[in-house]
Amino acid sequence: MSGHDKELSIAEDAKKMLRLAAEENIETVWDRLHAQEPQCGYCSLGLSCRNCAMGPCRIDPFGEGPQKGVCGADADVIVARNLARAIAAGASAHSDHGRDILEALYHVGRGDTEVYRISDEDKLKTIAGEYGIETENKDVQTIARELAWEMMEDFGTRKEELTFLKRVPAPRRELWKKVGVTPRGIDRESVETLHRTHMGVDNDYVNILLHGLRTSLSDGWGGSMVATEVSDILFGTPKPVASKANLGVLKPDMVNIALHGHNPILSDVIVRAAKDPDLQKLAEEQGAKGINLVGLCCTGNELQMRLGIPMAGNHLMQELAIMTGALEAMLVDYQCIMPAVVEVAKCFHTRIISTFDKAKFTGATHIPFDPARGLEIGKEIVRIGVENYANRIHERVMIPGTPTEMMAGFSVEAIVGALGGSPAPLVDAIKAGKIRGAAGVVGCNNPKIKHDYGHVTLTRSLIENDVLVVVTGCSAVANGKAGLMVPEAADLAGSGLREICKALGIPPVLHLGSCVDNTRILVLAAALANFLGTDIDRLPLAGAAPEWYSEKAVSIGAYVVASGIYTVLGVQPPIFGSPNVVKLLAGGLDDVIGASFAVEPDPEKAAVLIRRHIEKKRAGLGLPSVDPESIPLP
Ligand code: SF4
Ligand code: MSK
């Protein structure tokens, strides 16, 4: 197993663990991908449909076999329906996460939990103001209750548009109205997507895809934005913080517990539970020097952004982290957790502990989380990890290398704070051409792309050419591990970006948080557009997801484009069975929504596409620019 002849990762810790996997014959995600190959051509092109029992159907891409499903749906309709369903699934994942956090806020407001409290009162009041809630002479608890109640209404069907749409620049809101993509209710749009894509409902691929965009907007400006803002209210708005990353953050002489998934509700109490003197004492009695918490994926990002908790790795590192033999427990909430972790853990002493009733893992220990008893449950879970230290086989422990330093915690508030309270200095640097523009490099890992290569190569190339990069999710981990997220990394940037970063003492690559925190990028883009009195699509901005895999990433890409930001994907989405859908998404949308997608697996080339786009936008704003075509493709 894992005996692949090509290099699977650029990360040294991953490479070492993959060698161990090959020696010990432990199956990983790369082996399972290999076993699946060749993957189904119909599905890869988006040409298969199993939406009803007259099917499953598939369309022959060569034009020789059937061109219609049993119901008569053609390639355009089938591809569009499949894509819209992926968006709805991704939007639902984010939005349900948002609802879970919101319910915690409601518990705080009702006073039926002692576990959580309001950490950022200013933000609570600001957002309550955005929701039209009077805050004068009201206690914090009342404001929390009223805000939670109002936010819950955003999930339903009562409102004509989502409350956070007030943040969107006026011209874009008008455009959304004209095109008919204004998101109304967070749940409503996803449900309507499932309705529309049922057999015999929406059979116009353009109409289906436009509703797909509306659904994604209900995520970006709805469910995910609720998740981010309420997390800030409950757990604190991130501020720049020093941290570390890679498997070297595991400690050979401590109880190691990894927190994996996306929702900070449980991990927040685990952090407190791990400080419990009784549990610390128990760890010492077991022969350990203490309890070491580390993050994985976006739960890790949430903890790193707010508390500087070290990051063990991103999506493709989850199995490899267990193989260090140094992990007493992996605590999982939901999303991006491979069922395979349970199997890998069987080869070691690691306990996999699932915590949400909506995300059980056969073979794992399930301890259901209840916000009202959060701390008690947190202690129970930490105790399992501590007691498991006795089962560690110390001779088997292999922690590869030492951690890399990185900075996290760049919320929009922190960025504007670093700029002296206004976006003006950033705008001036862009106007002067010191910074050509900004790009969000976000999203997952995918074993089809060399691990972290897409993120790091693209990011490096952009900063070398004076494009400020903001990162979230697995991209943040990749770039942190590559050493690009410390102020000293400014030396790797072009002269203009270097000068600005040095003056501000910030890295050229800023960590904006987890997957739901892509909404921080929307908020920043909207703030820049509003500051300049223009629309987002006129700004020199771009997005990229070089190694994406998940349905959530499809929703993110769609809402970023629908918000007016050109986006380059590194992995081909399953749409190429319909030339009409490809034409619409990769260019046609420019005339509809002012932005579109591109697909470019080579990150060096993707960087050039982004730079050309940024120069085009600079020219459109009358700023000094270079001829986009003069930037050669590698
Ligand atoms: Fe086939 Fe149409 Fe049913 Fe899809 S909805 S499975 S194309 S009959
Ligand atoms: S964890 S959605 S693999 S970024 Fe958010 Fe990473 Fe993608 Fe999951």
Side-chain angles (χ1 to χ4, degrees):
M1 292 288 166
S2 296
H4 307 274
D5 44 13
K6 61 177 187 192
E7 198 169 70
L8 303 176
S9 174
I10 61 164
E12 289 307 318
D13 58 348
K15 287 195 239 174
K16 284 187 188 149
M17 298 319 295
L18 281 163
R19 277 198 288 277
L20 181 80
E23 279 160 28
E24 301 209 357
N25 214 19
I26 300 169
E27 182 188 274
T28 66
V29 63
W30 288 275
D31 301 307
R32 294 186 296 273
L33 172 62
H34 187 59
Q36 285 288 339
E37 286 167 343
Q39 288 178 311
C40 172
Y42 295 98
C43 293
S44 301
L45 294 170
L47 285 174
S48 49
C49 179
R50 48 180 180 76
N51 288 10
C52 88
M54 293 191 285
C57 303
R58 51 192 193 178
I59 305 296
D60 180 16
F62 303 110
E64 285 159 15
Q67 294 302 296
K68 294 207 165 113
V70 177
C71 66
D74 61 11
D76 296 341
V77 169
I78 290 177
V79 167
R81 284 197 306 217
N82 288 339
L83 187 68
R85 283 194 167 207
I87 291 173
S92 301
H94 282 148
S95 302
D96 201 41
H97 165 171
R99 183 182 3 248
D100 284 336
I101 311 249
L102 186 51
E103 283 178 351
L105 180 68
Y106 191 55
H107 284 303
V108 172
R110 290 213 317 197
D112 46 33
T113 174
E114 304 258 298
V115 180
Y116 303 106
R117 59 182 183 87
I118 304 299
S119 293
D120 190 338
E121 278 186 32
D122 290 342
K123 189 147 197 176
L124 173 74
K125 287 181 183 160
T126 305
I127 293 177
E130 289 186 59
Y131 272 77
I133 295 165
E134 185 53 62
T135 55
E136 283 290 308
N137 303 323
K138 270 189 202 157
D139 61 66
V140 165
Q141 197 176 330
T142 307
I143 300 171
R145 188 175 63 247
E146 290 181 5
L147 175 61
W149 190 248
E150 274 307 309
M151 279 185 153
M152 283 171 182
E153 289 293 356
D154 270 325
F155 282 79
T157 58
R158 195 169 65 80
K159 293 188 176 174
E160 283 171 9
E161 59 176 58
L162 301 179
T163 310
F164 281 136
L165 260 50
K166 288 184 198 139
R167 297 173 167 190
V168 178
R172 184 129 299 258
R173 280 174 79 178
E174 281 308 310
L175 180 66
W176 288 348
K177 248 185 223 151
K178 198 171 109 211
V179 180
V181 298
T182 302
R184 299 155 297 177
I186 295 167
D187 290 342
R188 175 180 187 164
E189 307 305 357
S190 291
V191 169
E192 188 170 315
T193 293
L194 295 181
H195 177 195
R196 284 183 185 229
T197 55
H198 186 281
M199 197 312 264
V201 184
D202 202 347
N203 290 311
D204 178 309
Y205 78 93
V206 177
N207 209 39
I208 296 168
L209 290 174
L210 286 179
H211 184 72
L213 293 185
R214 172 148 65 174
T215 305
S216 72
L217 289 170
S218 77
D219 173 3
W221 296 90
S224 281
M225 205 168 270
V226 167
T228 293
E229 300 295 26
V230 177
S231 295
D232 284 357
I233 290 172
L234 287 174
F235 309 120
T237 303
K239 297 187 186 72
V241 59
S243 185
K244 294 181 194 294
N246 76 31
L247 288 182
V249 301
L250 295 167
K251 300 271 169 56
D253 49 5
M254 292 177 87
V255 173
N256 292 304
I257 299 178
L259 302 159
H260 181 13
H262 280 77
N263 189 325
I265 282 193
L266 173 67
S267 43
D268 181 76
V269 292
I270 295 290
V271 173
R272 282 182 269 157
K275 291 182 185 144
D276 181 79
D278 290 344
L279 289 169
Q280 289 282 350
K281 192 160 154 262
L282 184 64
E284 279 164 30
E285 283 163 14
Q286 304 281 326
K289 288 207 173 122
I291 303 167
N292 181 38
L293 298 181
V294 300
L296 274 166
C297 287
C298 281
T299 292
N301 282 322
E302 299 275 355
L303 294 168
Q304 191 179 38
M305 283 285 280
R306 296 195 176 88
L307 302 168
I309 290 198
M311 169 63 80
N314 49 12
H315 183 55
L316 291 184
M317 297 302 293
Q318 55 189 293
E319 294 170 288
L320 307 186
I322 298 171
M323 287 179 209
T324 58
L327 203 55
E328 274 56 58
M330 179 185 281
L331 176 56
V332 302
D333 49 76
Y334 46 53
Q335 299 171 15
C336 300
I337 300 144
M338 294 186 201
V341 292
V342 178
E343 281 308 304
V344 180
K346 282 183 189 157
C347 308
F348 297 85
H349 74 301
T350 309
R351 293 281 298 270
I352 307 288
I353 303 168
S354 57
T355 51
F356 276 77
D357 284 347
K358 65 181 90 175
K360 290 192 177 178
F361 291 70
T362 305
T365 306
H366 187 66
I367 301 182
F369 183 63
D370 169 3
R373 295 176 43 244
L375 196 56
E376 195 187 315
I377 295 170
K379 285 184 191 168
E380 185 185 339
I381 291 170
V382 173
R383 177 176 290 274
I384 293 176
V386 172
E387 286 174 346
N388 197 24
Y389 186 78
N391 297 320
R392 187 191 285 187
I393 303 169
H394 290 270
E395 307 76 61
R396 258 193 113 184
V397 169
M398 207 222 10
I399 298 174
T402 49
T404 310
E405 306 285 331
M406 67 180 285
M407 263 179 106
F410 288 93
S411 57
V412 175
E413 291 83 344
I415 294 173
V416 174
L419 293 169
S422 144
L426 179 58
V427 170
D428 289 345
I430 292 173
K431 280 187 179 162
K434 288 185 178 166
I435 297 179
R436 310 303 300 174
V441 180
V442 308
C444 330
N445 297 135
N446 184 325
K448 293 177 180 176
I449 304 263
K450 190 193 281 188
H451 172 234
D452 288 353
Y453 173 74
H455 292 299
V456 175
T457 311
L458 174 59
T459 302
R460 248 179 206 280
S461 180
L462 290 173
I463 62 168
E464 278 167 8
N465 289 287
D466 293 317
V467 176
L468 176 70
V469 175
V470 295
V471 289
T472 59
C474 292
S475 183
V477 187
N479 284 301
K481 280 167 65 169
L484 300 181
M485 293 168 69
V486 282
E488 299 74 40
D491 291 331
L492 301 170
S495 58
L497 178 60
R498 189 188 316 146
E499 182 192 320
I500 302 292
C501 290
K502 295 225 165 184
L504 296 171
I506 58 170
V509 182
L510 302 180
H511 194 332
L512 262 66
S514 64
C515 299
V516 292
D517 291 341
N518 283 308
T519 59
R520 298 192 202 272
I521 298 178
L522 295 183
V523 170
L524 192 57
L528 287 174
N530 287 332
F531 183 80
L532 289 166
T534 188
D535 194 356
I536 297 172
D537 67 326
R538 299 202 58 220
L539 302 177
L541 304 177
E547 304 181 29
W548 73 276
Y549 91 89
S550 75
E551 290 167 315
K552 292 179 293 169
V554 181
S555 179
I556 293 167
Y559 74 61
V560 169
V561 166
S563 298
I565 301 175
Y566 167 73
T567 295
V568 185
L569 305 175
V571 178
Q572 190 171 303
I575 59 169
F576 282 78
S578 164
N580 282 332
V581 169
V582 173
K583 216 163 117 200
L584 179 65
L585 297 181
L589 277 181
D590 278 327
D591 297 330
V592 183
I593 210 86
S596 58
F597 287 99
V599 178
E600 178 48 70
D602 178 342
E604 302 271 13
K605 287 188 184 153
V608 171
L609 296 184
I610 288 173
R611 288 172 55 210
R612 285 179 177 173
H613 170 80
I614 282 176
E615 293 303 329
K616 220 163 71 194
K617 292 294 164 181
R618 291 183 63 86
L621 286 170
L623 302 178
S625 62
V626 301
D627 174 11
E629 295 314 311
S630 71
I631 306 174
L633 276 172

